[in-house]
Amino acid sequence: MTTTGEEHRAAGGPWWWERRRSAVLDGGLALGSALECAVEGVGFAEGAGLPVGIGVLLGVVAGSVLVVRRRWPVAVVLVAIAVTPAEMGFLLATVGLYTLAASQVPRRIIGVTTGMSLAATLIVTLMRTHQGVGDMAGSRIDVWFLPLMSVLASVAMTAPPVLLGLYVGARRRLMESLRDRADSLETELQLLAERAEERADWARGEERTRIAREMHDVVAHRVSLMVVHAAAVQAVALKDPQKAVKNAALVGDMGRQALTELREMLGVLRAGEALGGSARGAVPLAAVGVAAAAAATRAGAGASEDGPSLAEREEVLGQSRAAGMKVELSVQGEARGYAPEVEQTAYRVVQEALTNVHKHAAGAGAMVRVAHREGEVAMQVENGAPPVRGGGAMLPSGGNGLVGMRERVLALGGVFVSGETEAGGFRVSAVLPAQPGPSGAGRA
């Protein structure tokens, strides 16, 4: 983890200091500056004809200002400039200029205060140099020598702390910028990881839904017909033994096909148990989905490689007729080739709608209508009211058939409607575009 300025402040120090060691450093510098100014205040008091105590007190107060250099760096430099004529505060001026240059103060203020400090130092240095030369009797010095030495001395005392402060301040701001970028990058990575996990959860949920839908297509239709045929066997066993034998054979064939398809999907699930390490116990959803889809595709004998198509609806109608249901078919328009997803969805809608008739309206007839229109295909399965409410094979229902049909149709950008009819029956209608479009979740 990176350490930001906010975390430094969270560590806490007294008053305006971010850390305790900063307070100790400033206190030490202020103490040293106060001692220096106090000693220099003695000479100032003697030269100005003031009591020594006043000079010492002035030096202690001026030097102690260094303790607030981080909070008010401009004030520290101004105090240093003010005591420059008293020839005291070298440490105060040096540290003050360095702190000011390294701070967040605008550059124009740094330039003005630096210029003021340079001017004050130049004036005092020039005066002291002139007095020193005047004390040297008989010495001959060129006119340009004193100003040149004063300028060099003033620049030597002012420029180094300012340049060093500018460098340290720029480096500090760069490090803070890098820390902020690192924190921002870490936050973005965490957000990306959370989003990736959310997308993975969403993908797993979608895959589970698809697997459940495909397994429902594989099992529900065959098992429903098995139960219907078993009920027929029970009804005609004594009256028509040959028909009972035929229905029993159909039950056996359908049961074997359903078991084979389920065994293939369960085999894929069990394959996950062989994975080691962290993958142990994980359900290979993608592989199961592929197996379920393949098994659902093979649920219709003679289906093409792209899956069952609407043209193979006669197989589903034949199975329902063999189970004793009266099924009529009406086709409008000229059949044309559609996208594989559209063909398979149309097939599944017809298959599942007839399965629901077996489950909930045993003994009722069904009417299947297919209309080929410009750019779309429509299908409708409508059954009449069952002769006896609650009669028939009493097939259980999990309520997933209509949900699965709606999901399939809306995923292709189609329209799905289902509901009871005025005559007491049930109607399932779907319209699919010739070419699958984006998810039509908003087109219910």
Side-chain angles (χ1 to χ4, degrees):
M1 286 289 293
T2 57
T3 304
T4 63
E6 294 181 357
E7 292 174 347
H8 283 310
R9 286 187 287 273
W15 295 339
W16 56 82
W17 287 283
E18 297 176 355
R19 291 170 289 185
R20 291 184 177 85
R21 64 180 183 180
S22 298
V24 173
L25 175 61
D26 289 354
L29 290 174
L31 180 60
S33 178
L35 293 176
E36 176 201 353
C37 292
V39 173
E40 294 171 345
V42 174
F44 168 71
E46 292 177 352
L50 298 174
V52 175
I54 295 178
V56 173
L57 179 61
L58 178 62
V60 170
V61 173
S64 301
V65 175
L66 201 58
V67 76
V68 297
R69 69 184 185 95
R70 297 178 190 267
R71 187 67 178 274
W72 297 292
V74 177
V76 173
V77 175
L78 291 178
V79 171
I81 295 173
V83 299
T84 299
E87 299 182 18
M88 65 173 64
F90 174 77
L91 180 61
L92 175 66
T94 303
V95 177
L97 288 172
Y98 163 79
T99 305
L100 178 63
S103 66
Q104 301 288 342
V105 176
R107 292 296 177 87
R108 62 179 181 275
I109 297 179
I110 296 176
V112 170
T113 52
T114 301
M116 293 171 59
S117 178
L118 178 63
T121 305
L122 176 62
I123 294 173
V124 173
T125 304
L126 183 60
M127 293 177 59
R128 292 300 299 170
T129 305
H130 183 72
Q131 291 176 2
V133 172
D135 294 338
M136 299 172 60
S139 60
R140 295 184 62 184
I141 300 177
D142 295 335
V143 178
W144 55 266
F145 178 77
L146 292 180
L148 178 61
M149 293 301 298
S150 300
V151 170
L152 292 177
S154 302
V155 172
M157 288 187 292
T158 305
V162 173
L163 295 177
L164 180 60
L166 291 175
Y167 167 75
V168 172
R171 184 176 181 274
R172 184 184 301 161
R173 287 186 288 273
L174 175 61
M175 295 302 296
E176 290 178 356
S177 175
L178 292 177
R179 278 196 294 266
D180 291 341
R181 291 183 181 180
D183 292 339
S184 177
L185 179 60
E186 184 176 358
T187 302
E188 290 179 3
L189 290 176
Q190 290 177 353
L191 291 176
L192 289 176
E194 293 175 359
R195 291 177 181 176
E197 186 175 356
E198 292 176 357
R199 287 195 295 268
D201 292 340
W202 177 82
R204 284 193 291 268
E206 290 294 315
E207 194 64 25
R208 290 190 182 98
T209 302
R210 188 171 73 88
I211 292 171
R213 185 168 59 242
E214 298 293 350
M215 292 185 69
H216 181 273
D217 291 339
V218 171
V219 177
H221 184 69
R222 293 193 185 281
V223 174
S224 298
L225 292 179
M226 288 170 58
V227 175
V228 172
H229 282 297
V233 170
Q234 184 180 6
V236 302
L238 298 178
K239 300 178 182 179
D240 193 346
Q242 292 183 352
K243 187 175 181 179
V245 171
K246 181 180 178 181
N247 288 336
L250 290 174
V251 171
D253 292 338
M254 293 181 181
R256 281 188 292 271
Q257 292 175 4
L259 285 175
T260 300
E261 293 157 357
L262 286 175
R263 188 179 296 114
E264 292 178 359
M265 287 182 289
L266 293 176
V268 178
L269 283 172
R270 290 174 179 172
E273 300 177 358
L275 299 177
S278 60
R280 182 177 298 277
V283 178
L285 294 178
V288 177
V290 173
T297 299
R298 290 191 299 272
S304 63
E305 294 182 358
D306 293 327
S309 64
L310 186 59
E312 299 163 8
R313 58 184 176 271
E314 287 295 340
E315 175 202 351
V316 179
L317 272 60
Q319 292 175 351
S320 296
R321 288 167 180 154
M325 181 188 297
K326 183 179 178 181
V327 183
E328 298 180 9
L329 175 64
S330 173
V331 180
Q332 298 178 1
E334 183 179 355
R336 61 179 65 89
Y338 301 104
E341 299 91 336
V342 176
E343 292 276 358
Q344 185 175 357
T345 300
Y347 178 91
R348 294 301 182 200
V349 169
V350 175
Q351 181 189 55
E352 182 59 34
L354 291 176
T355 301
N356 286 341
V357 177
H358 286 293
K359 287 182 179 181
H360 307 291
M367 181 67 183
V368 179
R369 299 181 178 90
V370 179
H372 300 279
R373 304 169 183 168
E374 185 68 24
E376 63 182 17
V377 58
M379 65 229 54
Q380 183 183 89
V381 179
E382 181 178 352
N383 63 272
V388 181
R389 290 285 181 180
M394 299 298 291
L395 293 172
S397 175
N400 296 317
L402 293 176
V403 174
M405 283 190 285
R406 177 180 294 274
E407 290 176 351
R408 284 182 179 275
V409 172
L410 296 184
L412 299 180
V415 179
F416 180 84
V417 179
S418 63
E420 295 184 358
T421 63
E422 296 180 357
F426 199 83
R427 180 186 298 116
V428 173
S429 301
V431 179
L432 296 172
Q435 295 296 328
S439 177
R443 298 181 56 191

